[in-house]
Amino acid sequence: EIVLTQSPATLSLSPGDRATLSCRASRSVSAYLAWYQQKPGQSPRLLIYDASNRATGVPARFSGSGSGTDFTLTISSLEPEDFAVYYCHQRQYWPPVTFGQGTRLEIK
Amino acid sequence: EVHLLESGGGLIQPGGSLRLSCAASGLGFSTSVLTWIRQAPGRGLEWVSSFNDNGARTFYADSVKGRFTISRDNSKSTFYLHMDLLRAEDTAVYYCVRSPSGTCLFEDWGQGTLVTVSS
């Protein structure tokens, strides 16, 4: 089973700041890494797939990078609606499907 | 775009059974990979079970194997999660999720249905 470790657990920033979230896999998942955003009381939403591709309708301030075991989600300039929990997910090896434990992005 | 609507959640006693349903509308149901993912209160996402895109294979997390059964009815664009021998640790919001054929990329999510296992 692939273990995904996200860091930091919580990130406190202000609107307009740049956010950098990390996800590390226990072994290579090639580029098969996705990022999801979940706001309170809502279902998760696909943001980035295959490490660097934005899903339909996702603003350009969201970008993903990485391959192998180390991946990054960057939000270039935070908007108020971006404060949420972010999860990474790998689809190179499944089942089982695995997610990271999440990074909570909160307003400073 | 596929819209997914779960139903069937509620309060159930430990050891009981419950069946969740997920009705889909939009294109692509019969060729989609269908998955149940759950989220315990205040916790992260946990994969529960998936169908592959032709429905010939099913997959289960170790935590539910032997207790939960996934099924689908393509004629009704609906899939199901039958849960037996429920435990307190099964308490969660259960999401049905659709992926494109041949992948487990979770593109479309339902709004979730809450299952509470408690005496």
Side-chain angles (χ1 to χ4, degrees):
Chain A
E1 176 178 327
I2 303 289
V3 176
L4 298 176
T5 303
Q6 292 186 240
S7 61
T10 303
L11 187 57
S12 300
L13 294 170
S14 301
D17 287 348
R18 180 184 185 88
T20 303
L21 288 68
S22 295
C23 178
R24 175 165 290 179
S26 57
R27 60 183 169 118
S28 176
V29 296
S30 186
Y32 294 114
L33 194 286
W35 292 92
Y36 300 82
Q37 176 194 63
Q38 187 178 31
K39 298 179 182 179
Q42 296 186 17
S43 306
R45 168 198 180 195
L46 176 65
L47 287 180
I48 301 287
Y49 65 96
D50 295 350
S52 61
N53 297 287
R54 277 189 301 276
T56 302
V58 174
R61 63 181 181 273
F62 291 91
S63 63
S65 63
S67 66
T69 61
D70 291 296
F71 299 87
T72 301
L73 173 69
T74 301
I75 310 171
S76 59
S77 179
L78 286 166
E79 297 287 342
E81 62 267 28
D82 298 337
F83 292 90
V85 179
Y86 293 84
Y87 296 95
C88 59
H89 154 235
Q90 66 82 21
R91 65 184 186 93
Q92 169 75 344
Y93 300 105
W94 76 284
V97 172
T98 52
F99 294 92
Q101 81 281 15
T103 290
R104 180 178 305 277
L105 179 55
E106 63 178 26
I107 299 177
K108 188 174 182 179
Chain B
E1 184 181 357
V2 174
H3 293 279
L4 303 167
L5 183 63
E6 303 95 337
S7 60
L11 175 64
I12 187 76
Q13 291 190 337
S17 298
L18 205 59
R19 190 181 79 162
L20 306 182
S21 300
C22 178
S25 60
L27 299 176
F29 178 85
S30 62
T31 59
S32 297
V33 172
L34 303 171
T35 297
W36 289 96
I37 291 170
R38 68 185 181 183
Q39 187 170 36
R43 305 294 296 273
L45 302 173
E46 181 189 14
W47 171 71
V48 175
S49 179
S50 293
F51 258 117
N52 72 335
D53 42 9
N54 65 12
R57 297 186 67 189
T58 57
F59 309 98
Y60 297 93
D62 287 345
S63 58
V64 306
K65 200 172 293 183
R67 300 189 299 122
F68 289 12
T69 303
I70 193 172
S71 60
R72 66 194 287 172
D73 185 339
N74 287 343
S75 68
K76 296 181 179 179
S77 295
T78 301
F79 74 112
Y80 306 94
L81 184 67
H82 187 90
M83 304 182 290
D84 289 325
L85 300 174
L86 282 161
R87 306 166 180 167
E89 55 265 36
D90 295 319
T91 294
V93 173
Y94 285 73
Y95 296 101
C96 62
V97 190
R98 175 207 159 266
S99 304
S101 176
T103 80
C104 73
L105 184 64
F106 302 126
E107 286 191 352
D108 300 299
W109 296 68
Q111 88 289 347
T113 187
L114 176 62
V115 173
T116 303
V117 184
S118 174
S119 54

